Amino acid sequence: MKHQLYLLAGSLFLFLIVVFTLDVLIGCVMRNEFDSQPITDDKFSLSRYFHDKATGDMIILGNSRALHHYDVKMIEDSIKEVGKVRNIAANHVGAIYDDCMLSQIVKRKVPKVVFFEYLEHYIDGSVNETGGIDGLKDYYYSDSRVRVALKKLDKYSPIKELSSIYRLTGLEGWNIVELLDYRVRGIQPTIYESKGYIPIEGKPIHHPQFSHKKYISPIIDPLELEYITHIFELSKEYNFKLYVVVSPTTLLTYPSNSITLKEICAKHGIPIIDNSYLPSITPDMFYDATHLTEEGAQKYTAYFISQIKKLDIGI
């Protein structure tokens, strides 16, 4: 009986060694594959580029509204002195993702100015509970700040971190499929590389209408607030200009919009540009309640450029 237990323990140990070795080998092959792929419009691909390589003199930071609302090429063409404009936004993310990406970028090159697009309702942290950290992926476990964030968001993160394959894919087979697809199709032109942002193309069947509701203070998630605050602290540590921006939305409130967000910005001495309602941005320029169509984004960017020119950002 004792001998059988020794054999069982030995077999189990050998099995674990084989599994661990295969995991490391597969992880190394996949890491090489991911690193060798060109930039695509996929969120994972863009996040990898933002985290590992992106730099800019002007940074557009935020979620899907930042990704879809700011025509980077138009800004660069209109304000030559601004230098390189880089949009590092991603769909369905909050301040945790934004902070992790910006923390890496400023280490490579300190921007002149960062415009942090933020919609107040994200402050309740719901974006993190519903998959908003997908942009981080477990690929970034080598970044200590990302590792800390993931552990705060997912109590099982330390266990997942043990697997090389999980760190690269989050166990999402779609990433593997995309790698194979790149191999078959080769390099394809991307919207992000050609335009510097990803506009929402096409028109909705029904345009949303402006709504005006009485303002209700949101529940503030401590973790989301912590990372918003750290973004503010980065601007002071690295000495770059930072502005929080709220681009147009149809979800308006009275007596004012984004009251809590404005209070947080004021507390930390960070200016906020409230563009939530602009008379020139009409309902037909919205794709849905909070996102502009490509036409709307271009019109909004033109207005935003006029605002940039009036700011003291050293250009």
Side-chain angles (χ1 to χ4, degrees):
M1 182 68 178
K2 194 173 182 180
H3 179 67
Q4 290 177 326
L5 287 175
Y6 281 135
L7 285 176
L8 181 61
S11 299
L12 180 60
F13 179 74
L14 182 61
F15 173 75
L16 291 175
I17 292 295
V18 171
V19 169
F20 175 78
T21 303
L22 286 174
D23 177 70
V24 172
L25 289 174
I26 294 172
C28 288
V29 172
M30 290 174 61
R31 177 64 181 259
N32 181 67
E33 284 292 310
F34 282 133
D35 287 344
S36 65
Q37 294 304 320
I39 301 174
T40 71
D41 291 330
D42 172 69
K43 179 177 179 180
F44 179 76
S45 174
L46 288 176
S47 297
R48 174 169 55 88
Y49 171 71
F50 299 156
H51 184 275
D52 294 349
K53 298 179 181 179
T55 61
D57 299 297
M58 176 188 290
I59 299 293
I60 307 294
L61 182 70
N63 51 38
S64 58
R65 285 159 47 80
L67 183 64
H68 302 317
H69 290 186
Y70 297 85
D71 189 326
V72 166
K73 299 300 182 185
M74 185 185 295
I75 297 173
E76 289 179 335
D77 291 342
S78 300
I79 313 176
K80 301 293 185 182
E81 303 86 348
V82 78
K84 182 63 182 176
V85 181
R86 179 68 67 186
N87 189 321
I88 63 164
N91 286 319
H92 202 69
V93 299
I96 296 175
Y97 171 93
D98 295 326
D99 173 61
C100 288
M101 293 299 162
L102 186 61
S103 294
Q104 284 297 316
I105 288 173
V106 296
K107 291 176 185 177
R108 289 190 288 269
K109 179 181 178 180
V110 178
K112 298 174 184 175
V113 61
V114 174
F115 291 104
F116 178 25
E117 166 72 38
Y118 196 83
L119 195 60
E120 188 183 87
H121 79 249
Y122 283 116
I123 209 166
D124 66 1
S126 58
V127 68
N128 302 318
E129 297 172 2
T130 55
I133 59 168
D134 278 353
L136 293 176
K137 297 294 185 183
D138 291 40
Y139 175 85
Y140 301 119
Y141 265 115
S142 57
D143 178 344
S144 60
R145 184 153 187 81
V146 174
R147 191 185 302 116
V148 169
L150 288 169
K151 287 179 179 178
K152 288 181 178 180
L153 291 165
D154 181 1
K155 64 181 179 180
Y156 298 111
S157 184
I159 299 173
K160 297 173 181 178
E161 184 179 350
L162 298 174
S163 167
S164 296
I165 297 175
Y166 189 92
R167 289 200 303 271
L168 288 166
T169 69
L171 294 183
E172 291 183 7
W174 185 248
N175 291 329
I176 311 292
V177 173
E178 286 185 336
L179 284 178
L180 295 174
D181 186 45
Y182 298 150
R183 286 295 185 194
V184 173
R185 294 189 297 114
I187 298 176
Q188 301 291 318
T190 71
I191 296 173
Y192 180 84
E193 285 190 298
S194 62
K195 296 188 176 183
Y197 80 122
I198 302 180
I200 297 180
E201 298 179 333
K203 294 185 177 182
I205 297 175
H206 301 290
H207 291 286
Q209 298 298 313
F210 290 117
S211 64
H212 294 80
K213 297 182 179 180
K214 184 176 177 57
Y215 181 81
I216 300 175
S217 298
I219 296 172
I220 299 177
D221 175 60
L223 192 59
E224 183 73 2
L225 181 59
E226 175 190 335
Y227 281 83
I228 290 174
T229 303
H230 188 259
I231 290 173
F232 293 170
E233 292 171 349
L234 279 175
S235 70
K236 297 168 184 176
E237 179 183 352
Y238 286 89
N239 195 31
F240 59 82
K241 299 280 187 178
L242 174 67
Y243 295 85
V244 172
V245 187
V246 185
S247 61
T249 174
T250 62
L251 305 178
L252 306 174
T253 59
Y254 65 88
S256 181
N257 301 301
S258 306
I259 295 175
T260 299
L261 181 61
K262 290 173 181 175
E263 290 173 350
I264 293 170
C265 290
K267 179 181 178 181
H268 293 275
I270 301 297
I272 181 169
I273 302 172
D274 184 5
N275 289 333
S276 52
Y277 174 71
L278 299 174
S280 60
I281 304 298
T282 52
D284 61 298
M285 296 180 188
F286 283 90
Y287 186 82
D288 57 28
T290 58
H291 296 92
L292 297 169
T293 61
E294 184 170 10
E295 176 192 359
Q298 290 174 348
K299 189 153 188 177
Y300 168 63
T301 300
Y303 178 82
F304 186 62
I305 288 169
S306 69
Q307 291 180 307
I308 294 174
K309 291 178 177 180
K310 298 174 183 177
L311 299 175
D312 179 19
I313 56 176
I315 59 172

